[in-house]
Amino acid sequence: MDVGFLGLGLMGRPMALNLVRAGTPLVVWNRSPSRCDALRAAGARVAASPAEVFERARVVILMLADEAAIDAVLERGTPRFGEKAAGHVVVHMGTTAPGYSAALEADVRAAGGDYVEAPVSGSRGPAEAGRLVAMLAGEPGAAEEVRPLLRPMCHETVTCGPVPSASLMKLAVNLFLITMVSGLAEAVHFADRHGLDPEVFLHVLGSGPMASAVSRTKAAKLAGRDFSPQAAIADVLKNNRLIAEAARGSGTASPLLEVCLALFGETLALGHGESDMAAVIHAIEARTSRAAEEPR
């Protein structure tokens, strides 16, 4: 049977394209039909509805925006949810609260289906290159059935244990990413305010022990004021909130994350929600401007 793929956004479309280009018989659906054009051209079937995807595919991958979108597409809470879940393997590759994922697994299994978490680490560039890292969780039989399907999208798949351990792992990884990029933006702003040559700064940063694929990519975007999205501010803020909620719920201190939560919220309020996460520098610059205007 075909493999199903629901959700062709910033990450989902390149992921699905890598699947179909690798020869996976794919049937796709997206709320905005125009997002399916590239998949159709690559050879995927385009379904008229999520129900059609479940009719054609036993394994259905979800790469949807949030919990509300997942519930709406699966028609959770209605008899049609059971019809979709029964006999299927539902693969959740997006980012949601761990508690939500655990509850969704319980509902899918109660309906006679299997459920696998496979959130990914990486942004649009790695998604296009098939270089994402998947974190896998679920019943071993279902998880191992899904693992080969991830290869065209992910250069590595790491088993994390039972649900929701993959969701928790994704939040831990994102905590590091968010604080790292925020720190990098602050460093670029500091260098600029002190008149340092940006090319020299990037050379020093890229040659040192802290250099990484992420630091090189984001530093270049910051220096060139290129905020075309790899991971958009609005999406990163959503992830930031999920991590903060999980930390608070477990009584875990997350002081750096709380600062980042404020900064990304300020960046969104400044109108940069669709910009890359490196645009958090706008919030830092705005704080500098406000400080300069305050009486001394």
Side-chain angles (χ1 to χ4, degrees):
M1 295 183 69
D2 291 341
V3 172
F5 200 106
L6 302 175
L8 303 173
L10 193 67
M11 294 285 289
R13 183 161 63 172
M15 290 166 65
L17 280 169
N18 282 331
L19 279 175
V20 73
R21 288 167 180 165
T24 306
L26 203 66
V27 55
V28 303
W29 175 87
N30 191 71
R31 192 177 301 278
S32 302
S34 62
R35 301 286 298 180
C36 299
D37 292 345
L39 272 299
R40 182 185 287 109
R45 294 175 181 265
V46 177
S49 67
E52 183 182 343
V53 173
F54 279 89
E55 289 169 7
R56 291 182 174 275
R58 195 180 85 82
V59 178
V60 179
I61 295 170
L62 310 179
M63 194 61 184
L64 296 162
D66 52 29
E67 298 165 2
I70 293 171
D71 287 347
V73 165
L74 296 181
E75 298 182 273
R76 197 170 172 207
T78 76
R80 290 180 293 278
F81 172 83
E83 296 169 5
K84 288 178 175 176
H88 290 84
V89 181
V90 177
V91 185
H92 175 26
M93 296 193 74
T95 305
T96 59
Y100 170 87
S101 185
L104 181 58
E105 180 198 34
D107 287 351
V108 170
R109 288 172 62 83
D114 288 305
Y115 179 84
V116 174
E117 284 182 328
V120 293
S121 178
S123 57
R124 189 184 67 188
E128 292 171 343
R131 300 289 296 172
L132 298 168
V133 175
M135 291 149 275
L136 194 64
E139 289 297 313
E144 289 310 306
E145 179 181 353
V146 167
R147 181 185 292 272
L149 295 175
L150 304 179
R151 287 176 188 148
M153 300 180 285
C154 306
H155 78 99
E156 188 164 356
T157 298
V158 181
T159 299
C160 297
V163 174
S165 57
S167 288
L168 285 165
M169 190 71 72
K170 173 66 186 291
L171 297 187
V173 169
N174 277 4
L175 194 160
F176 179 47
L177 172 67
I178 290 167
T179 54
M180 178 175 65
V181 173
S182 300
L184 176 62
E186 186 171 330
V188 169
H189 180 56
F190 178 91
D192 177 66
R193 289 281 297 178
H194 288 82
L196 298 179
D197 185 316
E199 291 187 7
V200 175
F201 174 69
L202 292 190
H203 178 75
V204 171
L205 187 65
S207 301
M210 296 177 293
S212 66
V214 171
S215 72
R216 291 189 179 100
T217 299
K218 298 303 183 186
K221 290 178 80 65
L222 286 160
R225 307 295 288 189
D226 169 19
F227 299 120
S228 56
Q230 293 282 335
I233 287 288
D235 294 331
V236 175
L237 179 59
K238 180 198 80 170
N239 288 318
N240 202 320
R241 287 171 174 155
L242 289 174
I243 303 165
E245 289 167 4
R248 293 165 188 162
S250 62
T252 302
S254 54
L256 298 180
L257 185 76
E258 293 293 339
V259 172
C260 294
L261 181 61
L263 287 171
F264 278 90
E266 291 166 25
T267 309
L268 183 71
L270 289 169
H272 302 289
E274 299 303 313
S275 299
D276 186 77
M277 66 184 299
V280 71
I281 195 171
H282 289 300
I284 298 169
E285 291 169 342
R287 288 193 182 194
T288 294
S289 296
R290 290 196 299 272
E293 293 169 0
E294 292 175 358
R296 300 195 177 192

